[in-house]
Amino acid sequence: MLVAIAAGVAIAVSACRSPRDQVEAERATVAAPATAVSANALGAGASPPHGDHNPHHGGVVLMNGDLHYEVVLDPAGRSHRLFFSDAVREDLPASIASSVALTIFRPGATDELIPLQIDGTGESWFGSGRVVADPAKTTVRVTFTIRGEPYWIDVPFGANK
């Protein structure tokens, strides 16, 4: 019975992982003694991969594969930020990405490109731009390069609450 529970936990936990991570999780479950399985197989306080999509910095959390990133947009335009974290939302250094920028699309206005730079702590990318008078009608394109692959996504400015 405990072996069946352990196998079920391994399958549920590995649902969002890469094939290599799934193999490692299955090995760990098979190698662990059956008595080690508990109601909280991940340990006290641990989150399963992709189990935490709460903003840690007041923005909106999005994903690109196992990479999470949080976009924090400032309607005043003074401090837009981008933070990166792994599958279990452990902070990653800003340097994991390159060529980071935001493009703000306002109705009836010229698009505003905001190249971002790494902050002094190395934790996030930041930049500033013009005031966003109508966040509900404004869209932001987030662009960055990760592991040599360019990536972009359009996000409603108003999603950042």
Side-chain angles (χ1 to χ4, degrees):
M1 177 73 171
L2 289 176
V3 173
I5 293 171
V9 170
I11 291 168
V13 169
S14 66
C16 291
R17 294 184 176 181
S18 69
R20 189 183 97 206
D21 289 339
Q22 287 175 350
V23 169
E24 289 174 10
E26 290 168 4
R27 282 184 191 147
T29 302
V30 171
T35 57
V37 177
S38 68
N40 184 359
L42 297 171
S47 292
H50 308 295
D52 175 11
H53 289 116
N54 295 315
H56 296 176
H57 305 282
V60 61
V61 177
L62 303 161
M63 292 173 48
N64 176 17
D66 281 340
L67 178 73
H68 290 83
Y69 56 98
E70 184 173 347
V71 182
V72 182
L73 301 170
D74 176 16
R78 291 186 298 265
S79 181
H80 303 298
R81 293 196 170 272
L82 185 64
F83 296 85
F84 291 96
S85 56
D86 65 14
V88 294
R89 297 298 309 283
E90 291 292 326
D91 291 339
L92 294 171
S95 61
I96 190 128
S98 62
S99 304
V100 180
L102 303 175
T103 303
I104 300 182
F105 303 105
R106 296 172 179 84
T110 305
D111 299 343
E112 179 184 15
L113 175 63
I114 304 172
L116 302 184
Q117 60 188 8
I118 296 177
D119 68 18
T121 66
E123 295 177 354
S124 71
W125 290 82
F126 77 99
S128 60
R130 300 188 320 257
V131 171
V132 175
D134 193 352
K137 294 182 181 176
T138 303
T139 303
V140 177
R141 177 163 292 168
V142 179
T143 61
F144 56 85
T145 299
I146 193 85
R147 295 186 262 332
E149 295 290 324
Y151 173 82
W152 65 269
I153 188 169
D154 289 343
V155 179
F157 196 100
N160 186 76
K161 293 187 178 186

